[in-house]
Amino acid sequence: MEKYRRILITIMSLLVLSAVIAIIDISMNLQSGGKISFGSPQFGPGIGVVRIEGPIELSNQMGAVGLTANADAVVARLNDLERNGSVKAIVVRINSPGGTPAATQEIYQKIWKLRKKNIPIVASLGEIAASGGYYIASACNVIVSNHSTMTGSIGVIAHTPNLKRLFEKVGIDMTVIKTGRYKDMLAYYKDLTADERAIMQNMIDSTYNRFLKDVALGRNMDQTEIRPIADGRIFDGETALQLKLVDAVGTFEDAVDRARAMAKLSETSPVYDEMKSPFQQLFMGFESMMRGGNVIERSMGSIQQHPYGLEYRWMR
Amino acid sequence: MIETLLSLRWTDYFLYVLVDPRSLYRHISQNDPKAFALSFTVPAAAAIVDILAASLFGNQTLFFFYKITYGWILLSIFYVLKNAVISTIMDASAQFQGMKGNAREMVCLINFSMFPQVFILPLTCIFVASGFAPVFFYIAVGLGLSVWSALVAIQGIAEMHRTNTGKAVFIFIFPYIVIWASLFFMTVLLFILMGGYLSS
């Protein structure tokens, strides 16, 4: 009997050992913030991934699960990767129709600084990387686009509904008290005057020129090469390649491989992706369903929330 | 207490779960060493093992530390309460059939019968490490271990009431039928009530 008792103690010890191993594995997973599997713990030099999903804004809007896609969060993630000694190259995964100029430029400038520090940066374009999405991609050393990615849409837009005639029909008068003649420029209850249109056009032209300049700088091209195709049109990945707007057609994995090659890392080097637990992914899916569409469709809807701003955004 | 621990006689309960569930009940009835308190270590161990095994899949956030501390306490309490409720209904079911009631020993038996379920952790570790359909095997092994636990409980009940396996199976299944049927009817009634409230 004593022998069996000792065997049982051994079995229990093994159970405890397996619990300790499991805790160590899960803790390692937490500390690295990467997709580490129990079977293949990953350490050392690798690729950092930053994801830009949905409309690019500076506002601190949070999803139901607390995940943000605003420019500050992206810049913070890039700062983390910059400080992480294990990250030798960065892949920026972009799935965005664009956003506000300020937010887009914040991210562009951050990527550009990293590029100047000789950190290889590869942009991987997802379903859509148009307008501001492409603006950000242009800051990277290399752009890898999916064959069916909608990209391009280089341009600036500002829009507002004109409800003046509707208001007249319904009998609504707006009482406006303002300090200057242009204070209610682009207001929805009145027509845009010629002066106001000129002011807006100047502003848009200036923002557009900055867009063009930055894309030309990032792509190492002349502005005169880009201007003919920078009329707001979108391209698929293949056409964008022919127009030299992207460097290669491929998948996210291809972009990671490209980053590895640029950083002279082995094919098995780890990928430090943004941490998203299965629960977060599940709830993100639910959140998307509840809002009645995917991230991109939502971003189209959110245009209505910011009708007066200038935007680097592709419009349907 | 220390003498009992060093004697390793307490391991007999766990040994009998694995090799001879009928002897397990006989040992529980002898109550040497005291079985009741010891039996609650099994739901507590099963709770932590379940949390760890499930956490091996996918990336974990800092929420893991909450799960492994507060979550473990919560799940342990749930298992203990579940076992207490199930054991009580099983005991009532046995008494309805003219058998002698013994809720305390039934609780011990049901607690100890959970012991095979702790093997899910080392097996999950192996499946995840090998990377060979870990989720499938996690579910399959989990079901297998649950069946093993059920067999331990059924044999223990058969020994407790000196009855055949058929009646023991009925006693074992009865609480689950009662609970699920109650939950089903409660849900139906709740929906009817909600429908009535909204329409009136």
Side-chain angles (χ1 to χ4, degrees):
Chain A
M1 196 65 193
E2 202 60 31
K3 180 185 160 192
Y4 292 118
R5 285 173 180 162
R6 291 194 186 284
I7 290 171
L8 195 82
I9 289 292
T10 309
I11 291 170
M12 286 180 161
S13 304
L14 289 173
L15 283 170
V16 172
L17 182 67
S18 66
V20 171
I21 291 170
I23 289 170
I24 290 171
D25 176 64
I26 295 162
S27 300
M28 273 168 27
N29 190 340
L30 277 174
Q31 282 165 14
S32 67
K35 286 182 177 172
I36 294 175
S37 68
F38 184 86
S40 55
Q42 299 181 341
F43 300 101
I47 306 296
V49 176
V50 57
R51 293 178 183 273
I52 298 170
E53 300 268 351
I56 304 157
E57 295 170 353
L58 278 173
S59 59
N60 198 21
Q61 287 185 330
M62 279 199 177
V65 291
L67 295 174
T68 62
N70 67 68
D72 288 338
V74 173
V75 171
R77 170 72 179 159
L78 285 165
N79 283 330
D80 286 345
L81 294 176
E82 185 186 4
R83 283 192 294 267
N84 188 336
S86 297
V87 173
K88 302 300 175 193
I90 294 171
V91 172
V92 183
R93 177 66 165 173
I94 301 168
N95 204 16
S96 168
T100 64
T104 306
Q105 283 162 10
E106 292 258 347
I107 300 173
Y108 177 95
Q109 291 300 332
K110 180 65 206 175
I111 293 174
W112 187 251
K113 276 182 192 168
L114 295 177
R115 187 170 156 182
K116 285 284 153 199
K117 287 181 178 176
N118 289 325
I119 298 173
I121 306 176
V122 177
S124 166
L125 311 188
E127 283 179 272
I128 182 168
S131 201
Y134 179 74
Y135 192 151
I136 290 169
S138 69
C140 302
N141 298 91
V142 172
I143 302 177
V144 178
S145 167
N146 200 290
H147 184 277
S148 302
T149 298
M150 284 189 284
T151 188
S153 188
I154 299 171
V156 189
I157 189 168
H159 62 110
T160 179
N162 185 345
L163 305 180
K164 185 188 167 191
R165 269 162 290 283
L166 177 68
F167 277 24
E168 283 170 358
K169 200 173 264 183
V170 181
I172 298 172
D173 283 326
M174 292 296 292
T175 305
V176 180
I177 300 151
K178 57 184 181 178
T179 52
R181 57 193 289 216
Y182 299 119
K183 194 63 187 166
D184 57 352
M185 203 165 65
L186 274 183
Y188 56 84
Y189 50 81
K190 67 185 217 23
D191 293 324
L192 193 68
T193 66
D195 287 355
E196 290 170 344
R197 183 174 288 278
I199 291 169
M200 282 305 299
Q201 192 62 53
N202 277 340
M203 204 166 144
I204 282 178
D205 287 346
S206 165
T207 313
Y208 171 74
N209 287 334
R210 178 64 194 256
F211 192 163
L212 217 58
K213 187 181 152 197
D214 283 344
V215 168
L217 182 71
R219 297 298 300 157
N220 202 18
M221 291 167 76
D222 199 89
Q223 284 189 45
T224 52
E225 288 179 81
I226 300 169
R227 196 175 286 274
I229 52 170
D231 52 6
R233 77 182 83 170
I234 56 164
F235 310 102
D236 62 18
E238 199 72 48
T239 312
L241 179 65
Q242 287 163 15
L243 295 169
K244 297 179 185 171
L245 289 178
V246 303
D247 298 292
V249 171
T251 62
F252 175 70
E253 290 297 317
D254 294 330
V256 170
D257 290 341
R258 189 95 178 222
R260 281 182 174 133
M262 288 167 73
K264 297 184 175 63
L265 295 171
S266 72
E267 287 179 4
T268 54
S269 56
V271 176
Y272 301 108
D273 204 343
E274 284 180 277
M275 189 161 53
K276 282 193 183 111
S277 75
F279 287 112
Q280 282 177 318
Q281 288 172 9
L282 182 71
F283 283 121
M284 277 179 80
F286 279 137
E287 187 194 349
S288 181
M289 279 167 58
M290 295 297 281
R291 291 191 186 198
N294 60 29
V295 174
I296 297 158
E297 286 166 343
R298 269 188 271 146
S299 69
M300 301 306 161
S302 71
I303 288 168
Q304 302 306 319
Q305 296 165 15
H306 310 281
Y308 308 118
L310 268 60
E311 290 183 301
Y312 293 138
R313 199 195 298 239
W314 174 59
M315 304 288 292
R316 282 201 297 202
Chain B
M1 174 81 175
I2 292 169
E3 191 185 326
T4 310
L5 275 174
L6 291 175
S7 72
L8 297 183
R9 283 187 296 119
W10 57 272
T11 60
D12 293 351
Y13 291 110
F14 301 95
L15 186 65
Y16 288 134
V17 170
L18 302 180
V19 297
D20 188 0
R22 286 181 182 269
S23 296
L24 168 69
Y25 172 69
R26 286 196 290 271
H27 214 65
I28 289 171
S29 63
Q30 287 166 12
N31 201 30
D32 182 32
K34 289 180 179 172
F36 190 69
L38 184 64
S39 72
F40 287 99
T41 60
V42 181
I48 200 161
V49 157
D50 283 352
I51 290 169
L52 284 173
S55 300
L56 284 171
F57 296 96
N59 290 329
Q60 293 302 313
T61 62
L62 291 175
F63 178 61
F64 170 73
F65 294 117
Y66 287 89
K67 281 195 293 185
I68 207 69
T69 50
Y70 301 106
W72 170 53
I73 295 167
L74 182 70
L75 195 59
S76 299
I77 293 170
F78 171 75
Y79 282 164
V80 167
L81 284 177
K82 184 201 78 173
N83 287 353
V85 170
I86 283 173
S87 304
T88 309
I89 300 173
M90 281 180 188
D91 193 57
S93 162
Q95 287 188 53
F96 281 134
Q97 294 179 63
M99 298 165 190
K100 192 183 165 193
N102 196 340
R104 187 185 168 91
E105 289 181 357
M106 188 68 92
V107 170
C108 283
L109 180 68
I110 298 302
N111 280 345
F112 278 121
S113 71
M114 286 184 83
F115 184 58
Q117 291 177 29
V118 300
F119 292 105
I120 189 79
L121 181 59
L123 293 171
T124 304
C125 284
I126 293 166
F127 295 134
V128 174
S130 65
F132 183 66
V135 177
F136 169 77
F137 282 108
Y138 171 70
I139 294 167
V141 169
L143 287 172
L145 293 173
S146 298
V147 171
W148 186 2
S149 286
L151 290 174
V152 170
I154 288 164
Q155 288 187 63
I157 292 166
E159 183 66 20
M160 181 187 287
H161 295 295
R162 300 266 191 271
T163 185
N164 58 38
T165 308
K167 280 191 176 176
V169 168
F170 177 77
I171 292 169
F172 178 79
I173 290 175
F174 186 71
Y176 296 98
I177 295 171
V178 168
I179 290 168
W180 282 111
S182 304
L183 284 176
F184 174 75
F185 281 116
M186 282 166 70
T187 310
V188 170
L189 292 170
L190 190 68
F191 272 104
I192 292 169
L193 273 176
M194 282 170 62
Y197 175 75
L198 292 172
S199 61
S200 59

